[in-house]
């Protein structure tokens, strides 16, 4: 079993994810099945689960992990603040939380449906995959997930269509972020930390000395 990082993610997983998106909205559309905004309870965790639908998770706080088997190898995907995790239907996985720091997450389960027939893509005919990454625009991603949860919870007019459209935007942004993570090699994680702090505290004015201290740079 290995700890996954963005450089280790298989080309086949990225290809499978891209194949799905290439068919939207011409051949397929998305329907949100469930969407929560929750700190997981103390009893949370499961083993050897394989869902009939796809799911995506935004990690707001806390820590835990998924262990995912994509048919080729078993990998650990850690829960870290701001990370996005995508798990395809039929992908065997299990989850755990760390008791001292329970995850606060926005998980979304969804289906991919044929435009002509209205039927969901059969997970048996699809290969398993999983992906994860840390968005550069973490605050924007969080706001998109929170907005999706708001649409799903509201159950107002056109909420199903609004959820599907917004989820499509999130997934396309994920593909862009995943591609960027593979091509940008000179990004410093310390600068990412500072950027996230500024994004999350827009009304706070920082001077260069404070930013240097936060990033542990001179």
């Amino acid at each position: 079993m290995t700890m996954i990082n963005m450089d280790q993610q298989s080309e086949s997983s990225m290809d499978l994810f891209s194949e799905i998106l290439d068919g939207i909205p011409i051949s397929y559309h998305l329907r949100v099945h469930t969407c929560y905004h929750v700190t997981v309870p103390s009893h949370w965790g499961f083993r050897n689960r394989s869902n009939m639908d796809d799911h995506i998770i935004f990690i707001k706080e806390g820590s835990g992990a998924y262990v995912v088997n994509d048919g080729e190898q078993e990998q650990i995907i850690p829960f870290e603040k701001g990370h996005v995790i995508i798990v395809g239907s039929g992908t065997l996985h299990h989850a755990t939380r760390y008791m001292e720091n329970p995850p606060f997450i926005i998980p979304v389960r969804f289906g991919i449906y044929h435009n002509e027939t209205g039927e969901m893509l059969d997970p048996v005919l699809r290969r398993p995959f999983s992906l994860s990454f840390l968005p550069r625009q973490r605050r924007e991603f969080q706001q998109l997930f929170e907005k999706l949860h708001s649409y799903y919870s509201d159950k107002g007019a056109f909420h199903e269509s609004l959820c599907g459209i917004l989820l499509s935007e999130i997934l396309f942004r994920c593909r862009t972020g995943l591609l960027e993570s593979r091509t940008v090699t000179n990004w410093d994680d310390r600068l990412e930390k500072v950027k996230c702090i500024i994004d999350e505290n827009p009304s706070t004015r920082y001077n260069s000395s404070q930013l240097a201290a936060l990033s542990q740079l001179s």
Side-chain angles (χ1 to χ4, degrees):
M1 188 185 303
T2 59
M3 184 78 74
I4 193 170
N5 63 44
M6 286 170 283
D7 295 327
Q8 294 172 328
Q9 295 178 116
S10 68
E11 290 292 336
S12 61
S13 288
M14 191 64 194
D15 290 343
L16 291 168
F17 181 53
S18 293
E19 284 176 14
I20 293 169
L21 296 187
D22 288 342
I24 298 172
I26 298 170
S27 302
Y28 310 120
H29 63 278
L30 305 176
R31 293 182 193 169
V32 173
H33 296 163
T34 60
C35 181
Y36 300 103
H37 191 184
V38 62
T39 298
V40 301
S42 59
H43 62 271
W44 184 81
F46 53 83
R47 294 190 61 83
N48 299 327
R49 176 177 292 179
S50 178
N51 295 326
M52 294 294 289
D53 48 12
D54 298 72
H55 69 281
I56 182 170
I57 300 176
F58 181 83
I59 312 299
K60 291 188 69 173
E61 299 282 352
S63 56
Y66 263 3
V67 179
V68 179
N69 189 326
D70 64 4
E72 297 178 1
Q73 59 182 331
E74 195 171 73
Q75 296 178 311
I76 301 172
I77 304 178
F79 286 8
E80 297 177 355
K81 183 177 180 178
H83 276 70
V84 176
I85 301 171
I86 306 165
V87 180
S89 64
T91 304
L92 189 66
H93 61 289
H94 60 267
T96 184
R97 53 159 281 177
Y98 302 144
M99 297 299 292
E100 70 281 1
N101 193 20
F104 183 17
I105 59 177
I106 306 177
V108 184
R109 288 176 60 168
F110 62 95
I112 305 163
Y113 290 80
H114 291 278
N115 288 344
E116 292 186 4
T117 66
E119 296 180 353
M120 191 171 78
L121 290 182
D122 189 344
V124 176
L125 302 178
R126 296 171 55 197
R127 288 177 289 165
F129 75 90
S130 62
L131 295 162
S132 68
F133 78 108
L134 177 64
R136 298 290 184 219
Q137 299 79 26
R138 187 175 73 186
R139 183 61 181 169
E140 291 182 21
F141 265 81
Q142 179 174 326
Q143 290 172 341
L144 286 170
F145 274 85
E146 290 172 343
K147 188 174 183 180
L148 178 59
H149 177 261
S150 175
Y151 283 162
Y152 179 79
S153 302
D154 183 54
K155 304 295 184 184
F158 312 113
H159 91 279
E160 184 175 287
S161 296
L162 289 171
C163 286
I165 292 169
L166 185 52
L167 178 59
S168 297
E169 179 182 353
I170 290 172
L171 293 182
F172 277 103
R173 283 178 175 244
C174 286
R175 179 164 67 173
T176 300
L178 284 159
L179 292 173
E180 288 177 348
S181 71
R182 295 182 172 209
T183 56
V184 178
T185 58
N186 62 346
W187 186 265
D188 193 314
D189 288 340
R190 292 171 296 182
L191 297 181
E192 173 66 20
K193 177 181 178 182
V194 171
K195 180 183 181 302
C196 290
I197 290 172
I198 294 172
D199 288 344
E200 292 171 357
N201 301 277
S203 62
T204 303
R205 302 177 72 87
Y206 297 97
N207 60 41
S208 58
S209 297
Q210 291 172 315
L211 294 176
L214 289 170
S215 62
Q216 298 180 329
L217 294 168
S218 63

